[in-house]
């Protein structure tokens, strides 16, 4: 089969950077503010105890020891509340915004990011694969961008969640082998779907872990000076796991459920899955390995490393991206790949084993080799 490669990674940061310790404080203040507004408008809500809320957030939110900062496109999360309450945009009314309002914001922000990636129509590719699970409008932001060139064909790879970069690469590899190189663009606005009125433990984890991220990269058959050769891609939907993780569209926002059992549901299948990947890729035991593990959370990386008996250096880039950016859903693995390529200690020919997980439960993986001229 003709070799195919990933190369020319380009990321665009979200508009605002949210420091993790401050995010916990803001979540409390926003919850109190929205609760007060709802009571003023006649909602029969029970009294809210600030200290109880603060303890609950501290207990269940993702720790600042694992995540320093996260990106967000929503200014509400970085305001100094309650003094800046008049500047609230998403949560400007008495009740959480509906899905229509959230999609309006998604449309505006995603179209802006596509314009940043392609400031000139001539820069648009012949084939553009748009990946997201956090916003759907038609025409899509990718189609709006494509209309500027008059020649760009768009493929949508939507609603797969955190593992979507790997199926998107499967699509891109097929196009490239047919003589049609493609660009893959991720625009993920996870923070758009937070609901501070929800303080269940599971939702506090979600609201303190997920973030926004945007990244673009190319798929083609010409060997790059710096990039990743695609060796093998595969995935497996695990039996009896459909309720462990879900991502559904509700009246107010997209709703995620994230069971504490996700890591223990995945790990029994990991060794055989990775062994099959490496065997199919023809990778020998003497190769140098680095692992790009989608950080569904710190515990996911820990469990993968424990199960596969990895050294800390083998997951260093995965932890670093989690620390600096949080979980950006499908945009996270491409950020890790770029981080690996930026690390000069990762040599030409080193093997990159990539693993990601999503609803299903779906275990998705790929084996790549570093190309470094």
């Amino acid at each position: 089969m003709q070799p195919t490669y990933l190369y020319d990674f380009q990321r665009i940061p979200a508009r605002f950077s949210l420091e993790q310790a401050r995010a916990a404080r803001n979540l409390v203040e926003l919850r109190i503010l929205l609760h007060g507004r709802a009571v003023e408008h006649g909602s029969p809500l029970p009294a809210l105890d600030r200290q109880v809320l603060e303890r609950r957030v501290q207990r269940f939110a993702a720790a600042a020891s694992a995540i320093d900062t996260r990106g967000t496109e929503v200014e509400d999360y970085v305001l100094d509340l309650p003094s800046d309450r008049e500047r609230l945009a998403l949560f400007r009314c008495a009740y959480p915004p509906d899905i229509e309002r959230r999609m309006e914001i998604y449309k505006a922000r995603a179209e802006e990011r596509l314009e940043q990636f392609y400031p000139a129509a001539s820069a648009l590719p012949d084939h553009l694969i748009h990946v997201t699970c956090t916003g759907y409008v038609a025409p899509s932001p990718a189609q709006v961008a494509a209309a500027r060139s008059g020649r760009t064909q768009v493929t949508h790879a939507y609603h797969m969640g955190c593992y979507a970069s790997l199926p998107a690469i499967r699509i891109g590899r097929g196009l490239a082998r047919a003589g049609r190189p493609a660009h893959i663009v991720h625009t993920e606005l996870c923070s758009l779907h937070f609901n501070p009125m929800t303080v269940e433990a599971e939702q506090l984890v979600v609201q303190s872990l997920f973030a926004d991220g945007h990244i673009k990269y190319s798929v083609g058959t010409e060997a790059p000076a710096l990039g990743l050769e695609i060796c093998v891609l595969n995935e497996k939907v695990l039996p009896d796991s459909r309720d462990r993780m879900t991502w559904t569209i509700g009246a107010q926002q997209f709703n995620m459920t994230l069971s504490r059992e996700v890591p223990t549901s995945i790990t029994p299948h990991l060794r055989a899955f990775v062994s099959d990947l490496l065997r199919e890729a023809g990778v020998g035991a003497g190769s140098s390995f680095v692992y790009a593990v989608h950080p569904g959370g710190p515990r996911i990386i820990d469990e993968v490393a424990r199960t596969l008996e990895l050294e800390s250096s083998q997951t260093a880039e995965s932890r670093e991206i989690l620390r600096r950016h949080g979980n950006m859903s499908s945009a996270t693995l491409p950020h890790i790949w770029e981080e690996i390529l930026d690390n000069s200690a990762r040599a030409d020919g080193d093997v990159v084993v990539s693993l990601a997980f999503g609803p299903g439960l779906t275990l998705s993986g790929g084996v790549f080799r570093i190309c470094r001229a």
Side-chain angles (χ1 to χ4, degrees), residues 1-271:
M1 295 288 260
Q2 190 175 19
T4 48
Y5 305 89
L6 306 180
Y7 54 93
D8 194 22
F9 288 81
Q10 178 188 351
R11 69 178 75 170
I12 294 176
R15 296 167 71 210
F16 307 103
S17 180
L18 183 57
E19 186 260 335
Q20 190 73 343
R22 181 181 177 185
R25 296 193 299 270
N26 282 13
L27 181 59
V28 169
E29 295 298 339
L30 192 53
R31 174 70 174 87
I32 292 171
L33 179 63
L34 294 176
H35 181 276
R37 283 182 176 177
V39 170
E40 288 174 4
H41 283 73
S43 292
L45 296 175
L48 187 63
D49 187 312
R50 173 185 285 271
Q51 290 185 337
V52 171
L53 179 59
E54 288 175 341
R55 287 196 296 269
R56 188 167 182 81
V57 170
Q58 184 177 21
R59 178 182 177 186
F60 293 110
S65 59
I67 302 174
D68 285 350
T69 56
R70 290 177 290 144
T72 178
E73 297 285 356
V74 181
E75 186 179 13
D76 297 28
Y77 304 130
V78 299
L79 295 176
D80 186 10
L81 297 174
S83 59
D84 284 343
R85 59 185 177 275
E86 297 304 321
R87 292 174 55 193
L88 287 169
L90 182 60
F91 299 101
R92 61 190 176 192
C93 301
Y95 300 97
D98 61 18
I99 195 70
E100 182 177 3
R101 173 60 181 154
R102 295 181 199 258
M103 290 302 95
E104 288 173 357
I105 295 175
Y106 178 85
K107 178 179 184 294
R109 297 292 176 263
E111 287 184 7
E112 288 173 5
R113 299 300 160 257
L114 265 295
E115 287 184 10
Q116 286 180 277
F117 280 129
Y118 303 107
S122 59
L124 282 154
D126 289 339
H127 296 270
L128 175 60
I129 301 167
H130 184 216
V131 187
T132 188
C133 68
T134 53
Y136 312 127
V137 293
S140 72
Q143 289 171 318
V144 171
R148 293 162 47 210
S149 79
R151 56 177 170 73
T152 301
Q153 298 180 34
V154 175
T155 300
H156 298 117
Y158 285 1
H159 212 75
M160 288 178 278
C162 296
Y163 70 94
S165 59
L166 293 163
I169 290 170
R170 283 206 307 266
I171 298 169
R173 180 177 61 178
L175 287 168
R177 285 176 172 171
R180 296 175 285 181
H183 289 184
I184 299 176
V185 176
H186 300 251
T187 55
E188 295 288 17
L189 278 74
C190 302
S191 71
L192 189 59
H193 299 284
F194 293 170
N195 182 356
M197 291 294 285
T198 305
V199 293
E200 287 84 358
E202 177 185 75
Q203 295 306 312
L204 289 175
V205 171
V206 168
Q207 294 183 68
S208 60
L209 173 64
F210 282 86
D212 302 347
H214 317 283
I215 193 165
K216 172 180 78 74
Y217 48 102
S218 299
V219 188
T221 56
E222 185 174 340
L226 180 65
L228 297 170
E229 181 182 357
I230 306 166
C231 300
V232 65
L233 300 166
N234 203 356
E235 71 178 48
K236 177 180 182 179
V237 180
L238 306 183
D240 303 318
S241 64
R242 60 186 297 177
D243 296 328
R244 300 288 193 271
M245 185 190 305
T246 65
W247 184 236
T248 57
I249 300 176
Q252 292 183 328
Q253 70 272 323
F254 292 5
N255 298 311
M256 166 165 275
T257 61
L258 189 63
S259 169
R260 291 171 58 89
E261 298 174 8
V262 168
T264 54
S265 298
I266 291 169
T267 50
H269 303 271
L270 266 180
R271 278 189 175 275

